[in-house]
Amino acid sequence: MRYLVAILGVLVVFVLTYALSNNRRNIRYRPLVVMIVLQALLAFALLHTSVGELFIGAFGTLFEKLLSYAGEGVNFVFGGIANQGQAPFFLSVLLPIVFISTLIGILQYTKILPSIIKYTGLVLSKVNGMGKLESYNAVASAILGQSEVFISVKKQIGMLPKQRLYTLCASAMSTVSMSIVGAYMQMINPKYVVTALVLNLFGGFIIASILNPYMVSKEEDILEVLDVEKQSFFEMLGEYIMDGFKVAITVAAMLLGYVALIALINGIFSGILGVSFQQLLGYIFAPFAFIMGVPWKESVEAGSIMATKMVANEFVAMLDLGKHTGLTGRTIGIVSVFLVSFANFSSIGIIAGAVKGLHEKQGNVVARFGLKLLYGATMVSVLSAIVAGLFL
């Protein structure tokens, strides 16, 4: 039954994506099949083998260590604020982002990270049938973040046609930045975070290849990565520390606003209709939860969490997931994989704003296909959850 539901789910995702395709005749099916098979193999390796368990364990241990080091800085500055030894969410989950951002800056400065991103992207371009720029951007998005990634390719932003620009933005929305992965790992099981990171990378190529197919000629298939402006080590360090702090503050402010707003809307709906806004959305998203592999009796509850992620953000949804203690482990795993991406309404503005800051005309183009961008990124999350559900 599980496999039949998964096959149904993949078919539904493909049909929904195919229905809004820009150019169905240009869809190349061979790379799609290869990437779907790769997704399944990677999900099996990560969730169902001792090697995958070892890899995830090592990854989780690494971040656990990094977060403990970050905790040293947090405790030094904010020691004594926590009540009864339990640090508030902002201190324990969000502020470590500052330290992770600092490490990313050091890896960028020493040219280690750019080399990893560039050569991984080149290898992926041989598999996905897309251009070098698209492959580089997908890997860079998963490390640098959905707004910062465009700075590294700003030389080419103004020259890109609409189709290629869409793929770059879709990759940025389908992934998450490495700086906040540690925060996710404190809210949901690390193995689901790692699995989602890997599956979303290929899922972004799969959905973009159906929704937005095109060919890149040899003349157009170039990659020009902007060299980082020469700074001293400590100038760079200060910049990345402040960038990390801005991210932590921004996430905290958005959580405060969204959680309060959703509570207000839930109260209004409950008073008028006798059912909360999130419960109502749960019924709408329940069919998607079901095709992802969630048992029907839990699909409304799971659908509510999925909807929360789309209308608010993944942090709010992860907090909400932690409150639903009655869900089975399989459902929690599937929903967790779905939540690990930037696919929500606020990301449309973030990405459009980032591109507009580099090239005003292209920023307006991104704003016009914003809803289609969210649609594609959501399909990526659904597809990743379906594939992961096969092995949970």
Side-chain angles (χ1 to χ4, degrees):
M1 182 64 180
R2 176 185 300 187
Y3 297 103
L4 288 175
V5 171
I7 292 169
L8 172 65
V10 171
L11 288 175
V12 169
V13 169
F14 277 22
V15 167
L16 290 175
T17 309
Y18 184 84
L20 292 185
S21 176
N22 293 339
N23 190 342
R24 298 184 183 98
R25 292 184 179 180
N26 268 357
I27 297 174
R28 289 170 291 167
Y29 293 97
R30 184 177 176 181
L32 288 179
V33 173
V34 170
M35 287 188 286
I36 280 285
V37 171
L38 271 174
Q39 267 197 321
L41 290 174
L42 288 166
F44 174 78
L46 289 169
L47 298 172
H48 231 60
T49 67
S50 55
V51 175
E53 188 178 335
L54 192 66
F55 174 76
I56 290 172
F59 197 84
T61 301
L62 171 64
F63 269 88
E64 188 178 329
K65 282 284 186 185
L66 293 178
L67 292 171
S68 70
Y69 298 142
E72 292 291 327
V74 173
N75 291 336
F76 180 80
V77 177
F78 294 98
I81 290 180
N83 295 318
Q84 298 175 351
Q86 185 175 2
F89 179 83
F90 177 70
L91 301 186
S92 61
V93 177
L94 299 185
L95 277 187
I97 291 172
V98 177
F99 178 60
I100 304 298
S101 176
T102 306
L103 292 181
I104 289 173
I106 293 171
L107 291 173
Q108 281 277 85
Y109 186 83
T110 54
K111 306 292 185 183
I112 295 172
L113 208 52
S115 297
I116 293 172
I117 294 170
K118 184 176 181 178
Y119 291 110
T120 305
L122 288 174
V123 171
L124 284 175
S125 68
K126 305 296 182 184
V127 176
N128 59 32
M130 292 184 163
K132 295 173 185 174
L133 175 63
E134 287 84 348
S135 299
Y136 166 87
N137 187 82
V139 180
S141 296
I143 296 174
L144 303 178
Q146 64 178 338
S147 54
E148 295 86 347
V149 66
F150 295 106
I151 297 172
S152 66
V153 294
K154 75 175 187 178
K155 283 184 179 179
Q156 292 176 261
I157 288 288
M159 300 179 288
L160 294 176
K162 179 182 176 181
Q163 290 84 356
R164 297 191 74 184
L165 187 61
Y166 177 92
T167 299
L168 298 194
C169 294
S171 293
M173 191 182 281
S174 301
T175 55
V176 294
S177 62
M178 199 58 66
S179 63
I180 60 175
V181 163
Y184 292 157
M185 287 183 172
Q186 294 183 78
M187 301 170 73
I188 59 177
N189 194 315
K191 74 176 180 180
Y192 303 135
V193 178
V194 176
T195 301
L197 288 173
V198 174
L199 296 184
N200 287 351
L201 186 63
F202 288 97
F205 295 135
I206 292 167
I207 298 301
S209 296
I210 303 172
L211 199 60
N212 182 51
Y214 56 85
M215 296 289 290
V216 178
S217 67
K218 288 185 177 180
E219 294 76 21
E220 295 174 315
D221 192 16
I222 56 174
L223 174 62
E224 293 183 57
V225 179
L226 183 71
D227 289 329
V228 180
E229 185 182 340
K230 196 64 180 174
Q231 296 174 299
S232 72
F233 179 79
F234 290 101
E235 281 180 315
M236 173 280 300
L237 212 56
E239 185 178 304
Y240 273 87
I241 288 171
M242 289 309 299
D243 284 346
F245 187 69
K246 288 172 187 173
V247 171
I249 292 292
T250 300
V251 172
M254 291 179 72
L255 282 173
L256 194 156
Y258 275 121
V259 170
L261 186 61
I262 290 173
L264 170 65
I265 296 171
N266 280 339
I268 293 171
F269 271 73
S270 295
I272 297 173
L273 302 175
V275 61
S276 73
F277 177 63
Q278 284 176 288
Q279 286 174 319
L280 198 62
L281 290 175
Y283 288 103
I284 297 171
F285 276 77
F288 289 98
F290 178 72
I291 64 168
M292 281 161 44
V294 174
W296 183 251
K297 63 181 180 180
E298 299 178 34
S299 60
V300 174
E301 204 172 347
S304 172
I305 299 166
M306 292 163 60
T308 299
K309 182 233 180 163
M310 184 177 288
V311 299
N313 60 43
E314 71 281 5
F315 278 99
V316 180
M318 287 176 188
L319 288 171
D320 197 27
L321 178 62
K323 299 173 186 175
H324 291 261
T325 54
L327 295 175
T328 59
R330 173 174 160 78
T331 296
I332 290 172
I334 291 170
V335 174
S336 294
V337 171
F338 175 86
L339 296 182
V340 183
S341 83
F342 287 141
N344 57 64
F345 282 102
S346 61
S347 287
I348 298 173
I350 292 170
I351 292 174
V355 175
K356 194 165 186 172
L358 300 171
H359 195 285
E360 187 167 352
K361 183 180 177 182
Q362 294 288 59
N364 293 333
V365 172
V366 173
R368 283 196 288 272
F369 60 55
L371 287 176
K372 194 168 186 179
L373 197 59
L374 177 59
Y375 182 86
T378 302
M379 288 296 108
V380 172
S381 293
V382 172
L383 181 61
S384 294
I386 291 168
V387 175
L390 281 169
F391 308 105
L392 291 174

